[in-house]
Amino acid sequence: MSSQEQALISLLSQLALSFDGAVFGLGVAYVAFRSIRKFTVTSAALQKISHAPSISVSDLRSLLTETDSDADGYSDDGKIVIVRGTVDANSAVYGSWTNLWPGVLVSRESGDKGVVLQRTQTCIYNEWKGLFGWTSDVRAILTRSWRQQESTSLRKVPFVLIDVGRQSNTEYVVVSMDGSTHPLPLTTIYHKLEPINSPPYTFLQALFGHEYPIGLLDEEKILPLGKDINAVGLCSLRNGIAEIKSCNDLPYFLSDLSKDQMIVDLSFKAKLLFWSGIVLGTMSVGIIGYAIVRNWNKWKQWKQHREIQQQRQTIIEADSDDDVGDVPDGQLCVICLMRRRRSVFIPCGHLVCCQGCAMSVESEVAPKCPVCRQEIRDSVRIFES
């Protein structure tokens, strides 16, 4: 392999190592872009919630029958409103006498009744890594995402919202859960951790750092009847019945927060996302700019080093016939021991190196004479008359 090929391979390896700053800068820029994008979404949701009217269930019908279709928050799917109401079953408004609790979910553990029932089973694994714990860390990186540690089942039934604190159910709004992925204000009604009997070979699993289950956590959460909540979404009249459904542009659907609390929460998130986007964007520009300048300087250094190597190779080839041959031992270069001494170091004046080795010494960061170890500034080639 020639010296030019070695220099090219060295340059490519250095550039590959130097790209870590550029890659890191691009990663920070991507996070900044995501923050600004989330800021625009959060700001739009904040504006919609700020203009949305906050009314009770009884006042909802009069709002929906208004003919002003150009009002803020109005679309073909309905008007964005915030409705405060109490969760109740459909039987409370339709007056079904066939069943005492039709359309209501009942917890099999506590017996509580609700309209949304979520049951979660979480398998808890040991945290001791054993004598060979590093194997469990490597295995966890490769298999943790594939193994199912938690199973969740969610059941929903149709329900309505009625006026808070009123016994009359003449006014209500139907809550449509179709297509909603928003978090629900569920209440935990059952929480129990049961231990799992260990198999006979558990000791070996623990010794070699293999994870094994030690407990099973059972949880049940419901949206209970009689809970006062706020529903934020698109409300419209369907066959004379008020219905509200979730809006994908809003981060809330059913929530315990009031309108003012939602505005404060979204304002804080918007400010945090805005400034994080500005700070991360500035950092990414600085990191990428520093990586570009550093790589440019390295390229220039490599170019200068390549020119010096080419000059050295030219000089060596020109003087090879004269310098290589029957050279007395007292006139051999003290570095390569192959060619005649041709260069004098300045300022010490020692004539101990050939032209090629003298140029190699000069290209060092702190060049020193190989004999007296004095710092040198230059070298002069000596010609015999």
Side-chain angles (χ1 to χ4, degrees):
M1 185 180 295
S2 64
S3 59
Q4 294 182 358
E5 293 178 349
Q6 293 179 354
L8 181 60
I9 294 176
S10 176
L11 174 65
L12 294 177
S13 61
Q14 291 179 2
L15 287 177
L17 294 176
S18 63
F19 280 151
D20 56 349
V23 172
F24 180 69
L26 292 176
V28 176
Y30 176 74
V31 177
F33 171 75
R34 292 290 301 272
S35 299
I36 296 299
R37 185 176 180 181
K38 290 182 180 179
F39 164 73
T40 56
V41 174
T42 305
S43 300
L46 175 62
Q47 185 177 6
K48 290 181 180 180
I49 291 181
S50 300
H51 291 84
S54 179
I55 57 178
S56 61
V57 176
S58 58
D59 298 332
L60 184 60
R61 185 176 296 273
S62 60
L63 178 66
L64 296 178
T65 54
E66 293 179 354
T67 58
D68 186 11
S69 60
D70 296 332
D72 293 337
Y74 184 84
S75 65
D76 295 337
D77 296 330
K79 185 180 181 64
I80 297 179
V81 296
I82 302 176
V83 182
R84 182 71 175 178
T86 303
V87 177
D88 208 341
N90 283 343
S91 59
V93 295
Y94 294 122
S96 175
W97 296 94
T98 57
N99 195 344
L100 184 61
W101 292 102
V104 175
L105 301 176
V106 181
S107 171
R108 68 180 185 181
E109 302 294 345
S110 63
D112 294 343
K113 301 177 179 62
V115 293
V116 178
L117 176 61
Q118 177 179 319
R119 182 178 178 86
T120 305
Q121 286 187 338
T122 305
C123 189
I124 301 176
Y125 289 81
N126 71 310
E127 297 181 355
W128 188 61
K129 298 182 179 180
L131 299 179
F132 307 97
W134 61 272
T135 59
S136 64
D137 293 337
V138 176
R139 188 170 53 256
I141 295 175
L142 299 176
T143 62
R144 180 65 62 86
S145 59
W146 298 342
R147 184 176 53 201
Q148 187 71 18
Q149 294 187 354
E150 181 179 285
S151 60
T152 303
S153 61
L154 184 65
R155 299 172 57 193
K156 305 175 184 177
V157 293
F159 64 97
V160 297
L161 294 181
I162 61 176
D163 276 331
V164 178
R166 290 191 180 183
Q167 300 295 330
S168 175
N169 299 325
T170 56
E171 296 292 339
Y172 61 91
V173 56
V174 178
V175 179
S176 176
M177 302 288 292
D178 297 337
S180 175
T181 57
H182 296 78
L184 299 174
L186 302 180
T187 303
T188 302
I189 57 174
Y190 181 75
H191 183 93
K192 184 177 181 181
L193 178 61
E194 296 181 355
I196 297 178
N197 295 328
S198 302
Y201 54 87
T202 300
F203 173 75
L204 295 177
Q205 288 181 318
L207 181 64
F208 289 94
H210 289 266
E211 294 184 348
Y212 57 91
I214 59 176
L216 186 64
L217 179 61
D218 270 341
E219 286 184 317
E220 279 191 352
K221 298 180 181 181
I222 66 170
L223 182 61
L225 299 178
K227 182 180 179 65
D228 296 337
I229 61 174
N230 279 319
V232 185
L234 297 170
C235 194
S236 59
L237 292 177
R238 306 295 181 187
N239 298 325
I241 300 176
E243 180 183 9
I244 188 170
K245 62 181 181 180
S246 63
C247 180
N248 295 329
D249 297 336
L250 302 179
Y252 309 105
F253 178 38
L254 299 177
S255 175
D256 293 326
L257 302 177
S258 63
K259 178 181 178 179
D260 294 336
Q261 291 173 338
M262 293 179 189
I263 293 176
V264 171
D265 185 39
L266 290 177
S267 299
F268 174 76
K269 290 181 180 179
K271 292 179 180 178
L272 182 62
L273 291 171
F274 174 77
W275 287 112
S276 62
I278 295 298
V279 172
L280 292 175
T282 306
M283 288 179 55
S284 65
V285 172
I287 293 172
I288 295 175
Y290 172 75
I292 292 174
V293 172
R294 184 180 62 177
N295 293 333
W296 174 256
N297 292 332
K298 286 185 177 181
W299 180 81
K300 290 195 300 183
Q301 293 176 1
W302 172 82
K303 187 177 180 181
Q304 294 176 358
H305 180 72
R306 183 181 176 184
E307 292 177 354
I308 294 174
Q309 290 292 335
Q310 290 177 352
Q311 294 177 1
R312 177 187 174 187
Q313 189 68 22
T314 303
I315 295 173
I316 292 175
E317 291 176 355
D319 296 342
S320 60
D321 296 337
D322 183 37
D323 291 343
V324 179
D326 297 332
V327 181
D329 293 340
Q331 297 181 10
L332 285 175
C333 174
V334 297
I335 296 178
C336 65
L337 299 176
M338 294 176 58
R339 286 178 287 273
R340 190 184 300 271
R341 302 178 183 180
R342 290 294 187 184
S343 294
V344 175
F345 290 118
I346 298 174
C348 65
H350 284 121
L351 177 62
V352 292
C353 294
C354 64
Q355 183 70 13
C357 293
M359 296 182 66
S360 298
V361 174
E362 291 180 27
S363 62
E364 295 179 357
V365 178
K368 294 181 180 180
C369 176
V371 176
C372 63
R373 308 305 298 170
Q374 182 180 353
E375 292 187 2
I376 61 176
R377 298 192 300 269
D378 198 358
S379 65
V380 178
R381 189 181 188 279
I382 301 299
F383 295 92
E384 296 180 356
S385 59

